[in-house]
Amino acid sequence: MKIAIAGAGAMGGRFGTMLATTDNQVMFIDSWADHVQAINDRGLQVHVGNAVTPHWIPAALPQDVHGSFDLIILFTKAMGIAPMLESLRSIITRTTHVMVLANGIGNIEQVEKFVPGRQIIAGVTVWSSELDGPGEITLTGAGNVTLQPLAGQSDDFFQAVLTAFHQAGLNPIASDDVLAAIWKKAALNCVLNTYTALLDCNVGEFGRLPNHETLIDGVLNEFAVVAHHEHIDFDLDAARQLILAQFAPGGNSAHYPSMYQDLAKGRPTEIDFLNGFIAAKGAASNIPTPVNRLLTQLIHGKEVLSKQS
Ligand code: NAD
C-alpha cells in the first residue's frame, strides 16, 4: 500500500515511522519547509527516552508531490485539514482513501467537501507524541486508534488498513460508532485543553483546584445537550469519569495538553473545533452555551496575546 502522511508533525511523524516498519511504502507531506528539509537531510530524528534514531522516510511540500496514493492519513491540526486537502486536490483520485485523525469535531464534514464519503476513514487516537522542532519528535506513552470507514466495515480496503495498522503496532480498533468516540475525546479536550491553557497549569494542577468539578460541569452539561441534539451517543457520566481519572497520581497529571503548548509557541489552537464548535452548534439550534462561548473567546484572546509576546 502507498501511504502518504499529510501533516508530518508530532502525530504524523509517529504514525509514519511506525507504518514504515511494515512492508508498506510511506511518504511525508508537510507545508513547513524547514521540517521537510530537516527530514530529508538528517532523517526524522525520533527520541524515545534517551535514545535517538533517524528514520529515513522521504518528505515533500504539498506542491511538490506527484503520483497517487492508496491512503492519505491527514494529521494536520483541525484547522489545517481544508488547506492541506486543497493543496493535494491534484493527487486525490477515485481510488485514494483519506483517513482523518485530528482532534475536534466537524473534521469528517471538512473532508467530505473534497472526497466522497465512501473514500473516507474517520478515527480518533489516544497515541501521543511531541514535535520538538524541525525534523525532531519525541514519542510518549502507548495508545490505540479507533477507526470506522464511512463505506462500512466489510470494505476490503479497510481490512487491508487494519492489517497494516496491526503490523505497525498501532493497535487499531474497528468501530461501528466512531462519532461517539470522537465526541467523547472532544469532551475531554474541551475541558482539559481549554482550562489548562487558560490557567497556565498542567492537568494535575487543574485537578487540585477546589472548584475543578464546577468548571468541568459547566462545559460538559452544555456539551451533552448539543451532542444529544446532534444524535450523538454521548454518555455524560462516562466522559466526566474519564476526565477525573486523568488527575490520578502517576497518570496524565504532569501533562500540559496541546492547546497549552500551541499558545506557548504562539501558534493558533484548535478551539473552534472544540468549545467553539459546541458554541456554534448551540447558537444555530437555540441551545444556550454561554460557558463554551466565553471559553472560546478567552482562548482567541490568548492566541492574540501569545502571538505578540
Ligand atoms: P503538530 O503541531 O505537531 O503538527 C501539525 C502540523 O503543524 C504539521 O504539519 C507540522 O509540520 C505543522 N507545524 C508544527 N509546528 C510548526 C511550526 N512551528 N511552523 C510551521 N508548521 C508547524 O500537531 P500534532 O500534535 O501532530 O497534532 C495533529 C492532530 O492530532 C491534532 O488534531 C491534534 O489535536 C491531534 N492529536 C495530537 C496528539 C499529540 O500527542 N500530539 C494526540 C492525539 C491527537
Side-chain angles (χ1 to χ4, degrees), residues 76 90 190 200-201 210 301:
T76 61
S90 64
C190 281
D200 274 327
C201 65

Side-chain angles (χ1 to χ4, degrees), residues 118-306:
R118 63 185 147 74
Q119 292 171 228
I120 299 173
I121 299 173
V124 63
T125 181
V126 293
W127 283 100
S128 60
S129 181
E130 285 168 27
L131 179 61
D132 307 315
E136 307 252 347
I137 64 169
T138 297
L139 306 190
T140 47
N144 59 49
V145 51
T146 303
L147 297 170
Q148 182 177 17
L150 301 196
Q153 298 286 357
S154 57
D155 180 61
D156 284 346
F157 183 79
F158 182 59
Q159 294 308 316
V161 169
L162 287 180
T163 302
F165 274 49
H166 270 301
Q167 286 169 349
L170 282 163
N171 302 330
I173 300 165
S175 168
D176 57 9
D177 192 0
V178 79
L179 279 181
I182 288 172
W183 279 67
K184 186 175 182 183
K185 183 159 191 220
L188 177 133
N189 292 144
C190 281
V191 170
L192 294 181
N193 278 28
T194 307
Y195 282 130
T196 56
L198 282 172
L199 295 166
D200 274 327
C201 65
N202 65 27
V203 169
E205 288 165 337
F206 173 70
R208 286 194 291 279
L209 293 179
N211 62 341
H212 71 273
E213 297 210 35
T214 310
L215 294 171
I216 292 170
D217 290 342
V219 170
L220 287 191
N221 290 339
E222 294 176 6
F223 190 101
V225 179
V226 172
H228 180 72
H229 186 266
E230 295 294 310
H231 308 291
I232 302 296
D233 183 10
F234 179 69
D235 182 338
L236 175 57
D237 203 45
R240 199 171 187 279
Q241 291 310 320
L242 177 67
I243 292 166
L244 295 177
Q246 310 301 312
F247 306 141
N252 257 338
S253 55
H255 180 58
Y256 288 87
S258 60
M259 197 176 286
Y260 175 100
Q261 293 176 32
D262 287 334
L263 289 173
K265 292 176 188 162
R267 304 197 68 218
T269 72
E270 292 180 305
I271 191 72
D272 287 334
F273 298 85
L274 294 167
N275 310 76
F277 183 94
I278 297 302
K281 279 284 174 198
S285 312
N286 285 324
I287 299 169
T289 54
V291 175
N292 283 280
R293 199 175 62 238
L294 177 63
L295 291 174
T296 303
Q297 293 305 323
L298 288 171
I299 291 291
H300 279 314
K302 270 215 137 185
E303 287 174 336
V304 173
L305 295 172
S306 70

